[in-house]
């Protein structure tokens, strides 16, 4: 059975912050848009940050993505993006024809519990 999480990072080089995130939500396809990518080899041994801590400092922002499901229902996915990539992420997922985890995206917005500083 494949791992459900992987080590991701936001930022690069000395400013990189490493954290654990979902294996299927963060791919090479959306890495540039989200600002969240798989951790570089040099950062794999770096200490892991808590995502709540990164959200408090503004380095991570939680985005709510609404997708269609069977029977007309909707599924909400909450994904992280870098604090400076909010507009890019929302524009990307609000564009027609986007999918997330194999489901068609019908809307995107800031998570209602997200506080922007």
């Amino acid at each position: 059975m494949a791992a459900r999480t992987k080590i991701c990072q936001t930022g690069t080089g000395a400013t990189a912050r490493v954290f654990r995130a979902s294996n299927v939500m963060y791919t090479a396809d959306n890495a540039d848009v989200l600002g969240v990518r798989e951790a570089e080899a040099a950062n794999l041994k770096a200490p892991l940050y808590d995502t709540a801590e990164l959200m408090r400092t503004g380095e991570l922002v939680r985005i709510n993505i609404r997708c269609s499901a069977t029977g007309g229902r909707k599924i909400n996915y909450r994904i992280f993006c870098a604090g400076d990539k909010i507009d890019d992420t929302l524009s990307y997922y609000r564009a027609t024809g986007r999918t997330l985890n194999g489901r068609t995206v019908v809307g995107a917005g800031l998570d209602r519990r997200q506080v922007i500083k």
Side-chain angles (χ1 to χ4, degrees):
M1 184 171 185
R4 295 182 66 176
T5 61
K6 65 181 173 183
I7 307 299
C8 294
Q9 77 179 39
T10 182
T12 57
T15 63
R17 300 291 183 252
V18 182
F19 60 98
R20 187 172 295 280
S22 169
N23 195 28
V24 296
M25 300 296 175
Y26 305 96
T27 63
D29 297 337
N30 62 12
D32 291 332
V33 175
L34 295 175
V36 174
R37 57 186 39 85
E38 198 164 338
E40 298 167 353
N43 294 327
L44 288 176
K45 299 286 185 188
L48 292 177
Y49 282 83
D50 180 42
T51 54
E53 180 183 346
L54 293 175
M55 285 172 57
R56 275 193 298 277
T57 62
E59 294 182 56
L60 279 184
V61 175
R62 190 168 38 212
I63 303 291
N64 186 38
I65 309 289
R66 289 176 303 284
C67 297
S68 62
T70 57
R73 296 176 305 161
K74 304 282 189 272
I75 294 178
N76 289 323
Y77 291 109
R78 289 178 180 87
I79 62 172
F80 294 110
C81 74
D84 59 346
K85 297 281 191 171
I86 297 169
D87 292 334
D88 295 340
T89 302
L90 291 176
S91 297
Y92 177 81
Y93 281 109
R94 286 176 177 163
T96 306
R98 298 289 181 205
T99 60
L100 179 64
N101 199 20
R103 301 183 185 276
T104 304
V105 173
V106 295
L110 287 175
D111 188 66
R112 61 186 168 87
R113 294 171 292 205
Q114 177 66 47
V115 176
I116 304 287
K117 295 190 179 210

